């Protein structure tokens, strides 16, 4: 019996050419192919059903050119300052004249931020020569003994994460990304990471709850005028970076304080709904912001519950995430029950009151676009497909993603787009999970929009208004760290990160960390074990736990196997066969999304 053509043939040639191929082979069409032929003249299928190899290679080159245009411009016009102003071709650092300008000062600390953030992208692109040169520049120029007041969250995910990721790439004994080792390297990036984290530690002192102050002055500690409130994501998204640092230094203090904050926030969730708010008083534990959602102020708290479990193997993190996930779907999700089945409004996650679960406003924000990537990681593929389709359709309407979009008014509430990566990140994760060419088209649409509307003579700009495409003179560091990296990886099938994707995890800032069995250990706890019998009992418990949670080989970059009983991967395995050859979101539902966001007129 002749077998149906492979998925790769379908993706490469599309419906019309595949029919001719089948006729030539005199082969009966399979169920999945017949299913797709039914939509042969559907405009969505004609656009999205296949993506040629030459197109993929062209977009790979375009994504590489995008990164290097931004990176080379930064190095030429801005280094050693933190960011590039791409219109005036100059550097930007902290706004010392206006200390309350937190839009600038929370991230910029006079520590060559964009260079630090770019290290991982250079390594992922296999550019060992420039990676090594950039590392040496960081070692020679970056210092944290600065009178700069920065946000603990931004400094952690951008700078600490970038330094730790680059350090682990350098010392990787397998040279997975190529030979990135530096002759004479003496852990200088690790020492810089340690120095920075030590300067962030005062944020956790003098706080009654263990939830950290939002900002520190790098050379002095807590600012004299510090406020006693912080956002949930700012306090609860530190554990990956702090946890890795603790393990590399064999010093428990960093992981301890970050986990203390996570656990305190968890204990303060509503005893009615199980939800968390978005702003909290660090001294009293009182929720000052009762909005609960999946966007700014709270998004990455949930992301790091899941990723902390994957990286460190602590089942308590997974329990928190699973409970949060069910609570989120119960209280925040609106629309029909299934993404690709049934009738009703499009699925949508809305902002609600943490105490009642009632809808509190009618907008969603750009940061929420990353939720689809978290859903993919959790195995809830159908939900991820629908979540992503909403944001992609908004992008298609504006050729950008407005910071806030009002789903009731079908218009932006906040109109700027600062080159954010979240939609690209989810596009990348969905493509790796489905290999559906739809997501290559999405990536091309995003890349081309950025090149057409956001490129200036010295780099890429923030869009001030998605309607007029008026630009702001700023290229944020995450553009090179995340947006360009995810676009490149989307189109680079042969990249080591893709070929060995189960060996890595991405931080919320797009920095890669190896999934290392050694990270499941807390070496400082082992040193405290003094009774042989107790050691044996704990060892047996640990062995039993690993059989039901995560198994991995013994070397660095070992490949973990996440058990279905723990992570919800069953969704990925239960997609009906024909769906692998069709659009990820069926045409009638994609058209419904277009109408819902105002891209097309619903009367037609």
């Amino acid at each position: 019996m002749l077998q149906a053509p492979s998925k790769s043939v379908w993706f490469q040639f599309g419906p019309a050419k595949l029919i001719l191929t089948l006729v030539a082979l005199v082969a009966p069409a399979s169920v999945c192919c017949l299913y797709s032929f039914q939509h042969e003249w559907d405009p969505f299928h004609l656009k999205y059903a296949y993506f040629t190899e030459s197109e993929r290679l062209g977009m790979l080159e375009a994504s590489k050119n995008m990164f290097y245009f931004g990176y080379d411009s930064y190095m030429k016009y801005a280094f050693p300052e933190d960011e590039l102003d791409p219109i005036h071709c100059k550097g930007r650092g902290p706004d010392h004249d206006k200390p309350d300008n937190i839009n600038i000062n929370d991230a910029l600390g006079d520590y060559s931020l964009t260079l630090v953030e770019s290290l991982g992208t250079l390594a992922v692109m296999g550019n060992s020569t420039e990676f090594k040169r950039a590392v040496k520049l960081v070692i020679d120029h970056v210092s944290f003994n600065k009178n700069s007041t920065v946000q603990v969250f931004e400094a952690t995910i951008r700078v600490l994460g970038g330094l730790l990721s680059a350090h682990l790439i350098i010392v990787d004994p397998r040279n997975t990304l190529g030979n990135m080792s530096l002759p004479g390297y003496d852990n200088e990036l690790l020492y810089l990471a340690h120095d920075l984290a030590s300067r962030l530690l005062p944020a956790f002192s003098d706080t009654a709850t263990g939830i950290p102050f939002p900002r520190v002055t790098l050379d002095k500690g807590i600012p004299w005028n510090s406020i006693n409130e912080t956002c949930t994501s700012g306090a609860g998204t530190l554990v990956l970076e702090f946890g890795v640092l603790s393990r590399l230094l064999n010093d428990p203090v960093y992981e301890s304080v970050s986990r203390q904050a996570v656990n305190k926030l968890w204990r303060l969730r509503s005893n009615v709904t199980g939800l968390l708010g978005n702003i909290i008083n660090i001294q009293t534990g009182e929720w000052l912001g009762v909005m609960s959602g999946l966007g700014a102020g709270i998004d990455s708290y949930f992301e790091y519950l899941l990723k902390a479990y994957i990286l460190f193997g602590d089942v308590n993190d997974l329990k928190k995430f699973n409970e949060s996930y069910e609570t989120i779907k119960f209280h925040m999700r609106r629309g029909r029950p299934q993404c690709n089945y049934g009738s009703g409004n499009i699925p949508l996650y809305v902002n609600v009151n943490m105490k009642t679960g009632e809808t509190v406003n009618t907008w969603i924000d750009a940061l929420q676009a990353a939720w689809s990537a978290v859903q993919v990681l959790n195995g809830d593929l159908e939900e991820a497909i629908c979540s992503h389709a909403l944001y992609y359709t908004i992008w298609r309407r504006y050729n950008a993603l407005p910071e806030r979009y009002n789903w009731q008014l079908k218009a932006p509430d906040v109109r700027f787009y600062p080159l954010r990566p979240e939609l690209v990140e989810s596009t990348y994760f969905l493509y790796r999970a489905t290999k559906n060419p739809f997501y290559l088209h999405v990536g091309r649409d995003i890349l081309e929009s950025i090149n057409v509307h956001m490129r200036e003579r010295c780099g890429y700009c923030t869009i001030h208004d998605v309607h007029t495409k008026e630009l702001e003179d700023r290229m944020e560091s995450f553009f090179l760290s995340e947006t360009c990296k995810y676009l490149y990886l989307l189109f680079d099938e042969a990249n080591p990160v893709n070929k060995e994707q189960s060996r890595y995890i991405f931080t919320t800032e797009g920095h890669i960390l190896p999934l290392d069995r050694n990270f499941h250990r807390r070496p400082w706890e082992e040193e405290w074990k003094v009774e042989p019998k107790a050691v044996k009992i704990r060892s047996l418990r640990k062995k039993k736990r690993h059989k039901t949670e995560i198994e991995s080989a013994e070397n660095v970059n070992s490949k973990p196997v996440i058990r279905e009983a723990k992570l919800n991967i069953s969704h990925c395995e239960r997609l009906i066969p024909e769906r692998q050859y069709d659009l990820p979101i069926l045409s009638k539902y994609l058209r419904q999304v277009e109408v819902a966001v105002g891209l097309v007129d619903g009367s037609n």
Side-chain angles (χ1 to χ4, degrees):
M1 178 177 178
L2 292 175
Q3 295 193 3
S6 69
K7 182 163 57 175
S8 61
V9 172
W10 169 258
F11 288 171
Q12 183 174 356
F13 295 105
K17 292 184 179 179
L18 185 56
I19 291 175
L20 296 177
T21 303
L22 286 171
V23 171
L25 294 174
V26 199
S30 68
V31 173
C32 59
C33 294
L34 283 173
Y35 184 83
S36 296
F37 296 160
Q38 295 173 6
H39 308 285
E40 183 183 353
W41 306 115
D42 184 322
F44 289 123
H45 284 260
L46 291 176
K47 177 179 179 179
Y48 294 114
Y50 65 97
F51 203 89
T52 67
E53 181 66 4
S54 62
E55 288 177 305
R56 183 187 69 79
L57 293 174
M59 296 315 298
L60 177 62
E61 187 67 19
S63 62
K64 181 188 297 184
N65 292 339
M66 174 178 283
F67 169 77
Y68 280 114
F69 178 61
Y71 174 79
D72 290 343
S73 294
Y74 165 77
M75 295 303 296
K76 180 177 181 180
Y77 299 109
F79 176 79
E81 294 193 69
D82 287 312
E83 284 182 349
L84 168 69
D85 286 355
I87 296 176
H88 290 98
C89 303
K90 63 179 183 179
R92 176 199 295 262
D95 189 348
H96 293 296
D97 294 332
K98 298 179 181 178
D100 59 344
N101 184 5
I102 60 175
N103 182 48
I104 297 296
N105 293 329
D106 271 358
L108 309 192
D110 193 20
Y111 36 39
S112 301
L113 174 62
T114 297
L115 181 61
V116 173
E117 287 252 71
S118 298
L119 295 176
T121 310
L122 289 168
V124 165
M125 290 186 172
N127 191 341
S128 60
T129 300
E130 183 60 22
F131 173 80
K132 294 174 184 178
R133 186 178 84 93
V135 168
K136 291 179 181 177
L137 288 172
V138 169
I139 293 171
D140 292 341
H141 289 87
V142 173
S143 168
F144 301 114
N145 188 25
K146 306 282 187 177
N147 184 28
S148 300
T149 300
V150 297
Q151 191 185 71
V152 173
F153 169 71
E154 295 289 1
T156 297
I157 65 171
R158 297 199 196 199
V159 186
L160 185 61
L163 292 171
L164 290 173
S165 175
H167 167 74
L168 290 167
I169 290 169
I170 293 170
V171 300
D172 175 13
R174 300 175 69 248
N175 290 326
T176 308
L177 301 181
N179 182 12
M180 301 293 166
S181 59
L182 276 72
Y185 178 72
D186 191 26
N187 299 319
E188 287 91 345
L189 296 187
L190 179 58
Y191 296 146
L192 280 172
H194 187 193
D195 182 34
L196 173 60
S198 298
R199 296 172 187 271
L200 300 178
L201 271 184
F204 297 87
S205 62
D206 298 323
T207 158
T209 61
I211 300 171
F213 285 92
R215 297 174 182 88
V216 298
T217 302
L218 291 175
D219 65 349
K220 295 182 177 66
I222 305 301
W224 66 269
N225 60 345
S226 183
I227 58 176
N228 285 318
E229 61 185 58
T230 191
C231 65
T232 302
S233 56
T237 311
L238 311 172
V239 70
L240 257 63
E241 293 82 0
F242 275 48
V244 168
L245 182 64
S246 274
R247 283 158 173 76
L248 293 176
L249 297 176
N250 192 16
D251 183 348
V253 65
Y254 301 100
E255 180 174 2
S256 176
V257 295
S258 62
R259 283 197 175 276
Q260 178 177 267
V262 170
N263 293 334
K264 184 62 176 181
L265 288 165
W266 180 254
R267 290 193 295 271
L268 291 171
R269 70 194 188 282
S270 170
N271 58 10
V272 176
T273 65
L275 297 171
L276 293 83
N278 61 333
I279 302 174
I280 195 167
N281 186 300
I282 64 173
Q283 304 296 355
T284 66
E286 176 189 2
W287 289 104
L288 305 177
V290 296
M291 188 189 81
S292 191
L294 298 172
I298 193 170
D299 54 335
S300 50
Y301 177 84
F302 305 117
E303 174 191 357
Y304 266 34
L305 290 178
L306 180 58
K307 289 183 176 180
Y309 166 68
I310 295 172
L311 185 60
F312 301 128
D314 189 336
V315 71
N316 292 313
D317 292 323
L318 182 61
K319 289 178 179 177
K320 290 185 179 70
F321 175 81
N322 285 339
E323 183 176 330
S324 297
Y325 195 73
E326 293 304 315
T327 301
I328 287 166
K329 292 183 78 170
F330 183 81
H331 288 289
M332 299 181 195
R333 194 184 187 282
R334 305 288 188 266
R336 63 178 175 275
Q338 301 295 327
C339 174
N340 272 301
Y341 303 96
S343 60
N345 294 326
I346 64 169
L348 176 70
Y349 289 84
V350 303
N351 299 317
V352 302
N353 186 307
M354 65 169 289
K355 298 178 181 179
T356 65
E358 297 177 349
T359 304
V360 294
N361 54 50
T362 58
W363 53 260
I364 53 178
D365 69 43
L367 290 174
Q368 188 176 325
W371 183 243
S372 300
V374 178
Q375 291 178 308
V376 171
L377 200 59
N378 189 43
D380 201 352
L381 198 53
E382 286 286 357
E383 283 290 292
I385 286 168
C386 254
S387 300
H388 173 275
L390 173 63
Y391 281 94
Y392 170 50
T393 307
I394 297 172
W395 181 284
R396 289 172 59 205
R397 182 175 177 186
Y398 299 104
N399 285 299
L401 197 59
E403 192 72 356
R404 284 185 184 175
Y405 177 81
N406 192 306
W407 45 266
Q408 187 175 77
L409 300 177
K410 299 184 181 181
D413 280 348
V414 180
R415 296 184 177 184
F416 70 87
Y417 169 67
L419 300 165
R420 288 201 186 279
E422 284 75 16
L423 179 58
V424 188
E425 175 186 1
S426 290
T427 302
Y428 166 70
F429 270 78
L430 275 162
Y431 179 68
R432 297 313 304 171
T434 67
K435 301 308 282 294
N436 194 303
F438 176 88
Y439 296 107
L440 297 178
H441 285 278
V442 174
R444 177 165 63 185
D445 286 350
I446 294 172
L447 192 152
E448 290 179 347
S449 294
I450 294 174
N451 270 329
V452 170
H453 298 290
M454 301 161 223
R455 178 168 170 147
E456 262 290 341
R457 65 192 185 100
C458 295
Y460 292 90
C461 296
T462 291
I463 286 185
H464 179 71
D465 188 323
V466 296
H467 285 304
T468 65
K469 301 301 186 291
E470 177 187 356
L471 299 177
E472 292 183 15
D473 196 11
R474 185 179 187 184
M475 187 178 80
E476 297 231 32
S477 63
F478 53 63
F479 175 68
L480 299 181
S481 172
E482 298 183 81
T483 309
C484 291
K485 182 185 294 168
Y486 284 125
L487 281 170
Y488 181 82
L489 286 171
L490 175 66
F491 296 109
D492 189 12
E493 284 290 335
N495 195 279
V497 174
N498 290 331
K499 293 176 73 174
E500 303 192 50
Q501 61 192 40
S502 60
R503 297 183 184 275
Y504 292 101
I505 195 165
F506 292 87
T507 71
T508 196
E509 188 69 6
H511 298 302
I512 60 171
L513 297 173
L515 293 178
D516 180 357
R517 180 180 179 181
N518 290 320
F519 287 160
H520 292 185
R521 299 169 44 245
R522 292 184 173 91
W524 52 88
E525 291 182 354
E526 294 178 6
E527 292 179 1
W528 297 337
K529 297 175 184 177
V530 293
E531 298 182 17
K533 185 176 181 180
V535 172
K536 184 175 181 180
I537 291 173
R538 278 189 285 266
S539 177
L540 289 173
R541 288 175 178 170
K542 183 177 180 181
K543 183 176 181 181
K544 182 178 180 181
R545 185 171 71 247
H546 274 278
K547 287 184 178 181
T548 57
E549 295 170 22
I550 296 180
E551 294 179 353
S552 56
E554 292 189 358
N555 55 6
V556 165
N557 294 326
S558 55
K559 182 177 181 180
V561 179
I562 314 243
R563 296 299 189 185
E564 181 175 338
K566 294 299 179 182
L567 286 182
N568 197 16
I569 63 170
S570 57
H571 291 275
C572 298
E573 299 171 349
R574 292 176 183 171
L575 291 177
I576 56 177
E578 58 264 31
R579 289 291 314 290
Q580 299 176 19
Y581 300 88
D582 205 350
L583 295 180
I585 179 169
L586 303 184
S587 296
K588 64 177 181 179
Y589 296 124
L590 188 55
R591 178 51 58 95
Q592 183 189 30
V593 178
E594 290 184 333
V595 174
V597 304
L599 180 62
V600 299
D601 186 348
S603 62
N604 295 332

